[in-house]
Amino acid sequence: MSRGALQPSQQKLAEKLTILNDRGIGMLTRIYNIKKQGQVWKACGDPKAKPSYLIDKNLESAVKFIVRKFPAIETRNNNQQLAQLQKEKSEILKNLALYYFTFVDVMEFKDHVCELLNTIDACQVFFDITVNFDLTKNYLDLVVTYITLMMLLSRIEERKAIIGLYNYAHEMTHGSSDREYPRLGQMIVDYENPLKKMMEEFVPHGKSLQDALVSLQMVYPRRNLSADQWRNAQLLSLISAPSTMLNPAQSDTMPCEYLSLDTMEKWIVFGFILCHAALNTDPAALSLWKLALQSSSCLCLFRDEVFHIHKAAEDLFVNIRGYNKRVNDIRECKESALSHAGSMHRERRKFLRSALKELATVLADQPGLLGPKALFVFMALSFARDEIIWLLRHADNIQKKSTDDFIDKNLSVCPEDESIIMSSFVNTMTSLSVKQVEDGDVFDFRGMRLDWFRLQAYTSVSKASLGLADHRELGKMMNTIIFHTKMADSLVEMLVETSDVSIFCFYSRAFEKMFQQCLELPSQSRYSISFPLLCTHFMSCTHELCPEERHHIGDRSLSLCNMFLDEMAKQARNLITDICTEQCTLSDQLLPKHCAKTISQAVNKKSKKQTGKKGEPEREKPGVESMRKNRLLVTNLDKLHTALSELCFSINYVPNMMVWEHTFTPREYLTSHLEIRFTKSIVGMTMYNQATQEIAKPSELLTSVRAYMTVLQSIENYVQIDITRVFNNVLLQQTQHLDSHGEPTITSLYTNWLMMSLSGKMYRLLQTYSHNSSAYLSYCLLLPLQKLVVDNVEVLTQMRTSFDKPDHMAALFKRLTSVDSVLKRMTIIGVILSFRSLAQEALRDVLSCHIPFLVSSVEDFKDHIPRETDMKVAMNVYELSSAAGLPCEIDPALVVALSSQKSENISPEEEYKIACLLMVFVAVSMPTLASNVMSQYSPAIEGHCNNIHCLAKAINQIAASLFTIHKGSIEDRLKEFLALASSSLLKIGQETDKSTTRNRESVYLLLDMIVQESPFLTMDLLESCFPYVLLRNAYHAVYKQSVSSSA
């Protein structure tokens, strides 16, 4: 189209700039991800995602050949070198299509950009950042995006291999090259040195680009000031001029006030590299260029890709004739940047920290100032964001207008299109009222802002009927109006524009290091929540043109957020634990046992006795730690409380946060860690030593737990957490044998200690064993019953079915081994269970006094459970009953203990058989008890001298538990046991050897005790197996013997 026929108003410059800028960001995202694939993960860089053809050793020579001959590859004359690719051509086409067509998209984007730049030149568009801000900004953004894209493309090492391989496979499959390949291959070759190529390419665009860049001469130097200049101007201060505090913050260049400094520096550096001739002819351009070179040593291309400006600019200018002075300027600016830029930015950050703190404090105290001073807020956010990004980049790469004024403007020559837009502006603004705000109406001025962008494009071209260059006040006023419209409907977008630092996603190592430094410093720990909050912004880095990176960035944001919150909770937990330790120590000093020495000293002093060594320091009394000579003294406890309050402020800052459709609740992290630590601390307070069987007194444990709980209750003053829930979860678990993590509780520790200690004392008091009973007890405990049964399994199997054959049973009995071990181990188990029964009886008595209605309800549950009830339901009822101290048909604790000791190498059928044979073993072994002198029954204690009466409880409880586990019939197995035991005991009535029948009558009584103890056996069943007359005679005999012994 000829220039004469070109209609500027029909070129839709605003729309094209908007679309191409967005597409450019998308193309940058795709090219960035292609570059990063095969490297350490960054965004989408999964090492497994790299095409296998680029790393396959068998294809290495073919790939090298293609790269060497690129773009002209003679496939027909080099079959030997490329033959290996023949088999892989279909896979190459399939797997490299995404990469190849991404490069094609880059080429098409380049074509569209070049076409638009030519159109802008043909329209002779006027650019001034202070007047047509949107048009100039979008134009400069497009130029920089285009430069960045071509530079990133040139950094992809495998670009020639990917394009060449794909085209070869396409030619081998379809008989011809891809139609885009010739242009694409030529573009790759032309842009080997992208900046040099684009310097030639931008010669015709130099005038427009130079005008746009020079318009920054009033904006960029004003932004790029030192901290001292900011301080002298009292920048961002609301209280420096109290008389104007309520006046709205105004400026003729409102959008420029919060424009990113980093963005302007990229415009200036890249722009003047392309139109470098302006540096020799325009002093303003040279001033901007040198100021930008002195501020940074590198610029951000995209995400974590940087551009070292001084070296690149020097390499480009050194080969241009007459540019020696510019090269010297670059070297001087490089030295200045290396020497002074770091300190200048450090001082800026130092100033911004205090200025932001003052601004936040004033606005928090007087929120009404936020409206008129909104510009200050966005300026502060933008300044801070620029300094953070500068530090991050360099640390990783060291080397008020009225409506009347608007109407009075001279617009008499306003053409129809522009007039329609201007009328729309007036109508929109005059239709606004305070009532709309009071009614809560939702405003949407996006259309108005887009119209202003269009109007800038219409009025900035040459020969425009209404030239914006001649009406600068209109541009300044409209920019101010647009800023205020954003304050009404686009606050979130403004916050993103001025304070987005999601680039941290690609500097994860530096991000984590900064978090650790923030967390370790108590004065900074209150700001640690900003790190997980920042993770909520990472998804804004993604672009719709590269959807595959969403999962990688999303997973990264989730893992970082989780790690930050977990570390914050751990730090708070550790501080709380230290405070609890201090308080427990103070509480321990108040225990009665510590007053003995004080009383002793007082008594000795009264009696004038001298005890102890001279010069021995006097023990400090409790409460000394609270005495201070002045308020400047700070104790360790003070420091801990200060650090905790700062960190808890951070944890309590937000109730929850959304990260990639996942909700994180910081307080729950703290609650979880407190529960775990409280659990461990309670168990640790018992100070249980298994080797020495030492344990803390319950009263001392209670004192420590109360001190711990008092500290935890005070945490509610810092963080809004439900500490009662922590107490309930932890303390209720401590009433069980194991906690939710499978660890022992104080209940199990004290129970084990009581069982081991009191069981030994009971044996010694009752003279259960000889002097070496402790060693024998240890031996019995170490000898598993299961092994004893397995050792005799064949004999026991035969005895189980031969109880009606006396002679055969006698012969088989002689082959049994470890008979005494089985009986003694069963006796020990019976003693333990009897002791536990006594403890439960005591518990039942206490609970009946304190909660009789609850106990009676539990009894009703237990007594009325039907026999046909599912065993899982029945066990739940038994567990409830046992916890209330009620005796149960099946002991739930014993079932759990035996279930946990199941062997993995034995089948369930074999385990059931062993359980049955164990009962057989005990039954046929009972006659041997008659020969033991200590088996005599004592009516005075209603038991046997060697505790074999405890066998009744052991047999019933073990049988009930074992056959519950193996889902067998408890009643049938106990009937079998009773038949075998009766048959075996009846045989000793025929014995003539007095040594073997010494306590026969005492042993007979065991059958009666077993039946009396069992809920599954009856006296009628016993009568059918064992004559009751024998039991009656046995009771008569033992009582008669007892009377004669007493006499």
Side-chain angles (χ1 to χ4, degrees):
M1 184 182 290
S2 65
R3 178 172 295 185
L6 191 69
Q7 296 294 326
S9 62
Q10 302 299 320
Q11 299 308 308
K12 297 186 180 298
L13 299 181
E15 291 84 347
K16 290 179 181 179
L17 284 170
T18 302
I19 294 171
L20 284 178
N21 270 316
D22 179 69
R23 187 165 181 82
I25 299 301
M27 296 310 305
L28 277 171
T29 306
R30 296 206 62 82
I31 293 297
Y32 172 87
N33 280 282
I34 292 175
K35 180 183 182 302
K36 290 301 179 182
Q37 284 176 0
Q39 302 177 7
V40 178
W41 181 93
K42 286 189 178 180
C44 196
D46 185 355
K48 295 181 181 179
K50 191 172 183 177
S52 61
Y53 317 105
L54 304 180
I55 56 177
D56 191 341
K57 296 294 183 183
N58 298 326
L59 304 178
E60 187 175 356
S61 60
V63 173
K64 287 183 177 179
F65 174 79
I66 288 176
V67 173
R68 186 170 66 252
K69 295 293 184 177
F70 186 87
I73 306 171
E74 298 178 3
T75 57
R76 298 179 181 178
N77 299 331
N78 297 276
N79 290 333
Q80 293 181 350
Q81 290 177 297
L82 301 178
Q84 295 175 334
L85 296 175
Q86 286 285 349
K87 299 178 181 179
E88 304 287 343
K89 58 184 179 182
S90 59
E91 289 296 318
I92 292 175
L93 279 177
K94 177 182 177 181
N95 294 320
L96 294 186
L98 178 64
Y99 304 100
Y100 179 83
F101 286 106
T102 298
F103 295 137
V104 172
D105 289 341
V106 171
M107 183 178 67
E108 291 180 353
F109 175 78
K110 171 184 174 297
D111 294 341
H112 289 304
V113 171
C114 292
E115 180 184 352
L116 181 58
L117 292 177
N118 289 331
T119 302
I120 289 173
D121 291 339
C123 293
Q124 300 180 18
V125 178
F126 158 73
F127 291 111
D128 190 332
I129 197 74
T130 64
V131 181
N132 51 4
F133 174 84
D134 298 301
L135 184 66
T136 306
K137 179 181 182 298
N138 277 271
Y139 172 75
L140 292 174
D141 281 344
L142 183 63
V143 171
V144 170
T145 300
Y146 174 46
I147 297 169
T148 302
L149 182 60
M150 304 313 292
M151 291 181 67
L152 271 187
L153 178 64
S154 68
R155 293 186 180 188
I156 300 176
E157 298 177 1
E158 303 90 354
R159 62 189 184 281
K160 292 182 179 179
I162 292 173
I163 296 172
L165 277 171
Y166 180 86
N167 184 67
Y168 170 78
H170 189 280
E171 188 170 345
M172 291 298 99
T173 304
H174 300 96
S176 63
S177 297
D178 181 75
R179 63 187 180 89
E180 302 289 353
Y181 178 74
R183 291 181 61 233
L184 180 60
Q186 191 59 46
M187 184 190 76
I188 296 298
V189 173
D190 290 344
Y191 285 85
E192 287 286 345
N193 189 338
L195 284 177
K196 185 176 180 181
K197 173 65 178 175
M198 283 187 285
M199 285 170 66
E200 302 170 359
E201 185 180 318
F202 267 78
V203 170
H205 312 311
K207 174 78 168 56
S208 297
L209 183 57
Q210 179 182 345
D211 290 346
L213 293 171
V214 172
S215 70
L216 293 169
Q217 61 182 323
M218 296 302 294
V219 178
Y220 178 66
R222 193 171 70 219
R223 282 290 309 276
N224 197 8
L225 298 175
S226 66
D228 289 335
Q229 291 171 305
W230 281 354
R231 196 172 286 110
N232 293 334
Q234 294 185 320
L235 186 70
L236 304 178
S237 178
L238 299 181
I239 59 178
S240 59
S243 59
T244 62
M245 187 179 291
L246 296 177
N247 295 345
Q250 293 281 84
S251 169
D252 290 337
T253 55
M254 294 282 271
C256 299
E257 302 302 331
Y258 53 87
L259 183 60
S260 170
L261 189 66
D262 181 61
T263 298
M264 285 191 283
E265 287 180 350
K266 283 200 287 188
W267 291 346
I268 292 168
V269 172
F270 287 125
F272 283 125
I273 285 179
L274 299 189
C275 60
H276 51 84
L279 299 176
N280 296 322
T281 59
D282 191 337
L286 182 61
S287 176
L288 286 172
W289 163 260
K290 293 171 70 173
L291 186 58
L293 291 183
Q294 292 170 357
S295 299
S296 304
S297 60
C298 62
L299 290 176
C300 171
L301 283 180
F302 188 67
R303 294 180 175 174
D304 60 342
E305 289 289 324
V306 297
F307 172 71
H308 295 277
I309 53 180
H310 301 98
K311 184 180 184 304
E314 185 177 344
D315 291 344
L316 288 169
F317 289 177
V318 75
N319 297 319
I320 302 177
R321 183 177 299 177
Y323 271 62
N324 291 335
K325 192 172 183 180
R326 301 286 80 81
V327 172
N328 292 331
D329 289 340
I330 294 171
R331 291 170 180 170
E332 291 174 4
C333 291
K334 180 180 179 180
E335 291 298 321
S336 176
L338 294 176
S339 303
H340 306 297
S343 59
M344 181 184 72
H345 284 276
R346 184 186 66 246
E347 291 301 317
R348 281 187 187 173
R349 294 193 300 274
K350 189 183 297 184
F351 167 79
L352 285 172
R353 276 193 289 269
S354 60
L356 284 170
K357 188 174 182 179
E358 177 190 306
L359 188 62
T361 303
V362 173
L363 291 176
D365 185 64
Q366 300 293 331
L369 292 175
L370 191 57
K373 301 300 182 183
L375 180 62
F376 278 21
V377 174
F378 291 109
M379 287 172 60
L381 292 173
S382 180
F383 293 0
R385 189 265 317 273
D386 288 337
E387 294 305 317
I388 291 173
I389 292 178
W390 188 94
L391 176 63
L392 186 62
R393 184 172 68 246
H394 285 77
D396 209 48
N397 298 275
I398 296 176
Q399 8 156 12
K400 174 174 178 184
K401 297 290 181 180
S402 65
T403 308
D404 294 337
D405 293 335
F406 179 76
I407 295 173
D408 288 341
K409 291 293 177 182
N410 183 14
L411 301 175
S412 57
V413 294
C414 184
E416 183 179 358
D417 292 344
E418 288 82 344
S419 175
I420 293 173
I421 297 177
M422 295 297 294
S423 298
S424 174
F425 291 162
V426 174
N427 293 333
T428 300
M429 289 183 290
T430 55
S431 65
L432 299 177
S433 65
V434 177
K435 189 175 185 303
Q436 290 177 283
V437 179
E438 294 173 346
D439 294 342
D441 291 354
V442 178
F443 297 100
D444 187 356
F445 297 109
R446 287 177 297 178
M448 181 179 178
R449 288 193 289 271
L450 182 57
D451 284 344
W452 169 231
F453 191 4
R454 291 192 181 106
L455 185 63
Q456 292 176 52
Y458 294 161
T459 57
S460 297
V461 298
S462 64
K463 300 179 181 179
S465 300
L466 173 64
L468 197 57
D470 300 326
H471 298 85
R472 292 176 176 269
E473 289 301 317
L474 171 63
K476 294 176 182 179
M477 183 185 70
M478 284 303 301
N479 286 334
T480 302
I481 292 173
I482 294 302
F483 171 79
H484 287 296
T485 64
K486 290 182 179 181
M487 295 298 98
D489 69 344
S490 300
L491 282 175
V492 175
E493 290 79 359
M494 284 289 291
L495 286 171
V496 172
E497 180 183 346
T498 57
S499 60
D500 179 41
V501 286
S502 56
I503 194 174
F504 272 108
C505 179
F506 310 100
Y507 291 88
S508 56
R509 188 174 300 176
F511 194 33
E512 294 174 20
K513 183 178 179 181
M514 290 179 181
F515 171 75
Q516 291 298 335
Q517 291 173 341
C518 179
L519 200 59
E520 291 169 2
L521 196 62
S523 61
Q524 294 295 317
S525 59
R526 66 162 41 209
Y527 306 113
S528 56
I529 191 64
S530 58
F531 290 87
L533 283 174
L534 187 53
C535 296
T536 64
H537 301 164
F538 284 176
M539 295 307 295
S540 64
C541 298
T542 60
H543 196 278
E544 59 185 7
L545 290 185
C546 188
E548 63 268 23
E549 74 169 358
R550 288 182 60 83
H551 286 281
H552 297 282
I553 292 181
D555 291 340
R556 184 62 175 165
S557 61
L558 290 176
S559 62
L560 280 173
C561 185
N562 179 68
M563 184 200 70
F564 291 151
L565 292 176
D566 194 56
E567 289 296 321
M568 290 166 63
K570 285 181 181 178
Q571 183 77 353
R573 177 204 64 191
N574 293 336
L575 290 170
I576 294 169
T577 302
D578 292 341
I579 294 173
C580 289
T581 303
E582 293 271 354
Q583 292 293 344
C584 287
T585 302
L586 295 176
S587 297
D588 182 74
Q589 294 176 2
L590 297 174
L591 291 175
K593 65 180 182 180
H594 294 300
C595 70
K597 191 171 183 180
T598 304
I599 295 173
S600 176
Q601 289 176 348
V603 171
N604 292 332
K605 186 177 181 181
K606 190 175 181 180
S607 60
K608 299 182 179 180
K609 291 183 179 179
Q610 295 295 326
T611 58
K613 299 179 181 178
K614 290 184 178 180
E616 182 179 354
E618 186 178 351
R619 180 176 175 272
E620 290 184 349
K621 295 180 181 180
V624 173
E625 70 282 346
S626 300
M627 300 171 62
R628 310 190 191 194
K629 294 181 179 180
N630 58 66
R631 297 184 179 183
L632 298 179
L633 292 176
V634 179
T635 65
N636 183 49
L637 207 54
D638 295 333
K639 295 176 182 178
L640 291 173
H641 277 290
T642 301
L644 179 62
S645 63
E646 293 293 306
L647 187 55
C648 285
F649 174 87
S650 185
I651 295 174
N652 200 49
Y653 188 73
V654 289
N656 51 60
M657 57 186 74
M658 289 291 295
V659 180
W660 198 36
E661 299 180 354
H662 292 69
T663 302
F664 288 84
T665 306
R667 299 166 189 168
E668 287 300 316
Y669 280 81
L670 179 58
T671 301
S672 177
H673 279 286
L674 286 179
E675 287 185 8
I676 296 172
R677 179 53 61 90
F678 190 28
T679 300
K680 292 181 179 179
S681 297
I682 289 180
V683 174
M685 289 174 191
T686 62
M687 296 180 287
Y688 178 57
N689 189 325
Q690 192 172 4
T692 61
Q693 285 298 306
E694 294 178 351
I695 198 166
K697 294 179 181 179
S699 59
E700 295 180 5
L701 173 63
L702 181 61
T703 301
S704 298
V705 171
R706 283 176 174 169
Y708 210 107
M709 292 175 66
T710 301
V711 175
L712 291 182
Q713 283 177 316
S714 68
I715 303 304
E716 291 182 329
N717 298 328
Y718 302 105
V719 187
Q720 294 178 3
I721 60 174
D722 187 3
I723 207 68
T724 304
R725 191 186 80 185
V726 175
F727 292 159
N728 290 338
N729 290 346
V730 174
L731 297 179
L732 287 176
Q733 288 182 36
Q734 293 301 310
T735 65
Q736 304 301 310
H737 184 69
L738 298 174
D739 61 20
S740 58
H741 301 282
E743 297 295 327
T745 62
I746 58 173
T747 299
S748 62
L749 293 179
Y750 275 104
T751 301
N752 292 338
W753 176 81
L754 283 168
M755 293 296 291
M756 297 303 295
S757 300
L758 297 184
S759 295
K761 291 180 179 179
M762 286 173 62
Y763 279 122
R764 289 193 294 273
L765 289 172
L766 297 174
Q767 300 180 355
T768 309
Y769 297 113
S770 60
H771 294 291
N772 61 347
S773 59
S774 297
Y776 184 72
L777 177 60
S778 301
Y779 168 77
C780 290
L781 291 174
L782 291 173
L783 188 61
L785 281 171
Q786 180 179 341
K787 185 178 183 302
L788 297 177
V789 175
V790 171
D791 292 343
N792 296 277
V793 66
E794 293 182 6
V795 178
L796 292 172
T797 304
Q798 296 181 48
M799 296 183 78
R800 185 182 183 186
T801 58
S802 304
F803 64 91
D804 57 345
K805 301 173 184 178
D807 296 336
H808 188 48
M809 287 287 285
L812 290 173
F813 184 77
K814 292 179 181 179
R815 292 168 56 187
L816 287 176
T817 60
S818 305
V819 174
D820 291 341
S821 296
V822 172
L823 291 173
K824 289 176 180 177
R825 187 173 183 83
M826 288 293 291
T827 304
I828 294 172
I829 294 172
V831 171
I832 295 172
L833 292 174
S834 297
F835 177 75
R836 184 170 178 272
S837 179
L838 289 173
Q840 281 194 304
E841 186 178 348
L843 173 62
R844 182 170 70 252
D845 290 343
V846 173
L847 292 180
S848 297
C849 294
H850 290 282
I851 47 173
F853 299 107
L854 186 57
V855 172
S856 63
S857 299
V858 175
E859 286 179 348
D860 286 340
F861 270 118
K862 183 181 75 72
D863 295 342
H864 296 89
I865 181 170
R867 285 282 181 180
E868 62 275 8
T869 304
D870 181 69
M871 186 50 67
K872 291 184 178 179
V873 178
M875 290 306 297
N876 288 335
V877 176
Y878 290 147
E879 188 174 354
L880 174 64
S881 303
S882 181
L886 301 176
C888 303
E889 293 180 356
I890 303 170
D891 190 339
L894 194 56
V895 170
V896 172
L898 294 176
S899 298
S900 63
Q901 296 181 1
K902 280 188 176 183
S903 176
E904 296 180 358
N905 301 323
I906 303 176
S907 65
E909 293 79 9
E910 190 67 22
E911 285 188 342
Y912 178 71
K913 180 182 177 182
I914 291 173
C916 294
L917 294 180
L918 173 61
M919 303 308 297
V920 174
F921 205 161
V922 176
V924 300
S925 303
M926 288 179 65
T928 62
L929 295 172
S931 61
N932 192 337
V933 179
M934 300 301 295
S935 295
Q936 183 179 355
Y937 182 82
S938 173
I941 62 173
E942 295 184 355
H944 297 76
C945 296
N946 59 355
N947 287 335
I948 61 173
H949 57 275
C950 295
L951 281 172
K953 187 173 288 292
I955 291 166
N956 280 291
Q957 294 285 8
I958 288 179
S961 300
L962 284 175
F963 298 116
T964 297
I965 295 169
H966 300 302
K967 300 179 181 179
S969 174
I970 303 172
E971 188 173 346
D972 291 346
R973 298 285 71 79
L974 282 175
K975 286 180 181 179
E976 182 183 44
F977 169 82
L978 192 59
L980 284 167
S982 301
S983 175
S984 301
L985 290 175
L986 285 172
K987 293 172 189 175
I988 63 173
Q990 302 171 5
E991 293 286 341
T992 57
D993 187 0
K994 291 185 178 182
S995 61
T996 58
T997 61
R998 182 181 291 118
N999 288 308
R1000 178 179 58 192
E1001 288 77 11
S1002 296
V1003 176
Y1004 283 168
L1005 300 183
L1006 284 177
L1007 288 176
D1008 184 49
M1009 294 178 181
I1010 292 170
V1011 174
Q1012 295 291 344
E1013 182 73 29
S1014 175
F1016 304 98
L1017 299 176
T1018 63
M1019 291 303 295
D1020 292 341
L1021 185 62
L1022 177 61
E1023 177 68 24
S1024 66
C1025 300
F1026 194 86
Y1028 186 74
V1029 66
L1030 291 180
L1031 284 176
R1032 185 178 59 197
N1033 293 338
Y1035 273 111
H1036 181 74
V1038 296
Y1039 272 88
K1040 184 178 179 180
Q1041 187 179 358
S1042 174
V1043 172
S1044 60
S1045 299
S1046 300

